[in-house]
Amino acid sequence: MTTILVADDDADIRDLVAFKLRQAGYEVVKVEDGVQALDAVRTGAPDLAVLDLMMPGLSGLDVCAQLRREETSAHLPVIMLTARVQEADVAAGFRTGADDYVTKPFSPRELLSRVQALLARAGTATAAR
Amino acid sequence: MILAVFAVTSLVVLLVVAGVVVRRVTRRAQESRVRRLSAEHRPLLLALVAGDPEDARDAAAAVAGLDRASWRVLEPVVIALLGKVRGEGREEVVRLLGARGVLARARADLRGRSAVRRAAAADLLGRADAAGGARGLVRLLDDRDADVRQVAARALGRIAAPAAAPVLLRSLATEPPRVPPATVAQSLLRIGPAGVPDLLAAVDHPVAVVRSTVVVVLGRLGATAAVPALCARLREDALTDVRCRAAAALGAVGLPAAVPDLVAATSTASPSALRIAAARALGDLGASSTLPVLHALLDDDDVRVANEAGTALLSLGPPPGDVAPRSTPAPVGAR
């Protein structure tokens, strides 16, 4: 089963994202900060990560940058979920290696569509590698 | 006598201790009940906000029918969800708040005695995008409490009713402004292009803060229809600050029609701040016709003007067909 990591320090957001993804048939691992997110990727090898940009300890950007440095997670699809909508923030997200960007307040349905699209692209890319 | 005093004191102490203990126990029991009810109804809320349409409708009906005690626990959680989701989930939350009478209560609270209550009601109506509350929110722009006025201005922006634009601008026309200009600007930006006619009507307002706010918002909105009015502000405004903001706005809008006035503003007859703003705006505007002017400004006596010209040239890149590296000189400070 496809596993998705959801990292957000806001319990409501975490639960809403997890609910929507589980309803769509994905297995979801929820964590509440960046350190836990890195641990979860290293131990659980999810197929995609949804990272909040602003988390205590390690931010989503820090986590994303670290994931890209590690061989096992260098190609893990990452969606950044954040309330920061300034152009510079979005650009910083992409610079660190995020594959997509969803702004809060978010639409659960739109997030699901983006997850599905990214997983499909990642599947294609994996097959091509 | 001493014994009697001791006995009374002991009794008072005992009563106080007992009171504290009872209060703590009651509070803990209440918190535990809130946690239990929240956990019990959480799946319903998740289905309401993130579920498929059919599940969401079922969940909405179930939450709408909850007893008053349960709803009292859930209400703040539901209200908090308003700011976290958009789309269908948010619409379900708004419908639920309407069905439970929360929005009607908020509209009534806009006239409440407590400033906190008025501000909370304004905030909720704004977040719920409750257009029915717009009239009450407009009235709150004249509230005696500054925080309430600010919350009301923000809420009007969230509702984004174009009719709120002139009222928001009027709130800036007093000395001091009744609402902070940054808040008004944010709300006008949320209202968007629908507010442009009111912005244009106020672009030459006698109060400077109104003019400067209008100019900034028109630029951020990219209002092409505002270019002649912005050029007029750039040329004629009595305040250099407004002229600088007009230059920045023209750069943001990006129409070549503004180039002659921006070029004129870079002349040495203009104040230094305006020359810098105009050079930056020429770079933002991105028209290739500005290249000769920007090149000439590289040798300007004012290093800040020269630096802006260099940065502008860098952002413009080489003109089409020009491969000579000297067409993209470095900023003066970087030489």
Side-chain angles (χ1 to χ4, degrees):
Chain A
M1 187 184 258
T2 305
T3 304
I4 297 175
L5 170 71
V6 178
D8 199 308
D9 57 331
D10 182 325
D12 286 340
I13 304 273
R14 219 163 47 227
D15 289 350
L16 285 169
V17 173
F19 181 90
K20 191 69 187 173
L21 294 175
R22 280 181 183 138
Q23 209 178 38
Y26 297 110
E27 191 172 306
V28 178
V29 176
K30 296 188 288 182
V31 297
E32 54 192 80
D33 62 43
V35 176
Q36 289 179 16
L38 278 178
D39 286 346
V41 172
R42 286 164 185 158
T43 57
D47 300 281
L48 182 146
V50 178
L51 303 176
D52 176 30
L53 193 108
M54 303 287 284
M55 288 188 287
L58 286 177
S59 73
L61 291 178
D62 297 332
V63 174
C64 189
Q66 184 60 35
L67 292 176
R68 293 294 175 249
R69 278 196 289 270
E70 295 178 18
E71 198 182 339
T72 51
S73 57
H75 301 289
L76 176 71
V78 171
I79 295 179
M80 212 60 93
L81 183 62
T82 177
R84 297 178 70 164
V85 292
Q86 295 294 316
E87 207 176 326
D89 299 318
V90 177
F94 284 121
R95 252 198 324 273
T96 54
D99 297 279
D100 205 350
Y101 216 94
V102 174
T103 54
K104 297 179 189 173
F106 76 106
S107 154
R109 184 192 270 199
E110 182 194 326
L111 177 67
L112 174 62
S113 300
R114 286 175 185 268
V115 165
Q116 288 167 333
L118 198 48
L119 283 171
R121 281 207 301 274
T124 312
T126 308
R129 269 201 288 272
Chain B
M1 179 65 184
I2 293 170
L3 271 179
V5 170
F6 179 74
V8 169
T9 311
S10 304
L11 187 63
V12 169
V13 169
L14 265 177
L15 284 173
V16 168
V17 169
V20 168
V21 169
V22 167
R23 205 170 159 186
R24 279 195 183 171
V25 168
T26 312
R27 195 192 302 156
R28 277 194 192 157
Q30 206 172 357
E31 284 169 357
S32 151
R33 190 170 148 275
V34 166
R35 271 198 302 275
R36 183 177 54 75
L37 281 171
S38 294
E40 191 181 314
H41 296 304
R42 193 154 182 84
L44 270 183
L45 292 187
L46 295 176
L48 173 84
V49 178
D52 293 330
E54 202 172 313
D55 295 339
R57 269 196 302 276
D58 291 347
V63 180
L66 284 176
D67 62 274
R68 193 183 284 188
S70 298
W71 173 249
R72 203 175 298 152
V73 170
L74 287 188
E75 187 182 309
V77 183
V78 173
I79 289 175
L81 289 174
L82 262 185
K84 298 180 181 179
V85 288
R86 58 184 164 84
E88 293 158 348
R90 189 181 167 286
E91 284 163 21
E92 286 293 349
V93 171
V94 173
R95 265 197 291 276
L96 174 65
L97 292 173
R100 295 279 339 190
V102 178
L103 298 180
R105 196 178 68 216
R107 280 192 282 271
D109 281 349
L110 291 178
R111 291 177 179 276
R113 273 193 189 174
S114 150
V116 172
R117 190 173 281 244
R118 292 196 300 280
D123 181 58
L124 173 59
L125 290 172
R127 284 206 276 157
D129 197 358
R135 195 182 300 173
L137 290 171
V138 165
R139 204 174 42 246
L140 283 193
L141 290 179
D142 290 322
D143 197 275
R144 60 184 177 278
D145 187 284
D147 290 332
V148 174
R149 293 198 297 271
Q150 189 167 356
V151 173
R154 210 174 284 142
L156 281 167
R158 287 204 173 106
I159 291 174
V167 195
L168 285 163
L169 289 168
R170 269 203 299 279
S171 72
L172 293 177
T174 54
E175 180 52 44
R178 297 188 67 71
V179 178
T183 305
V184 171
Q186 281 297 331
S187 293
L188 291 168
L189 282 171
R190 281 175 178 263
I191 291 172
V196 167
D198 290 301
L199 293 169
L200 285 174
V203 77
D204 53 0
H205 197 280
V207 177
V209 72
V210 177
R211 295 199 303 279
S212 64
T213 304
V214 165
V215 159
V216 168
V217 174
L218 286 170
R220 293 277 300 276
L221 288 174
T224 50
V227 167
L230 290 171
C231 284
R233 282 305 96 210
L234 172 64
R235 286 190 311 267
E236 301 160 8
D237 203 278
L239 288 184
T240 302
D241 178 62
V242 176
R243 297 177 74 189
C244 291
R245 287 172 194 264
L250 287 165
V253 173
L255 275 194
V259 168
D261 284 315
L262 285 170
V263 168
T266 63
S267 89
T268 49
S270 300
S272 182
L274 180 58
R275 301 184 67 221
I276 294 166
R280 188 179 303 151
L282 285 171
D284 292 342
L285 198 139
S288 55
S289 62
T290 64
L291 287 174
V293 180
L294 290 169
H295 273 294
L297 287 175
L298 286 175
D299 295 324
D300 200 272
D301 289 341
D302 187 334
V303 71
R304 293 166 303 170
V305 174
N307 198 36
E308 282 301 339
T311 308
L313 284 167
L314 276 176
S315 68
L316 285 169
D322 185 355
V323 291
R326 56 190 288 278
S327 65
T328 56
V332 168
R335 279 178 195 164

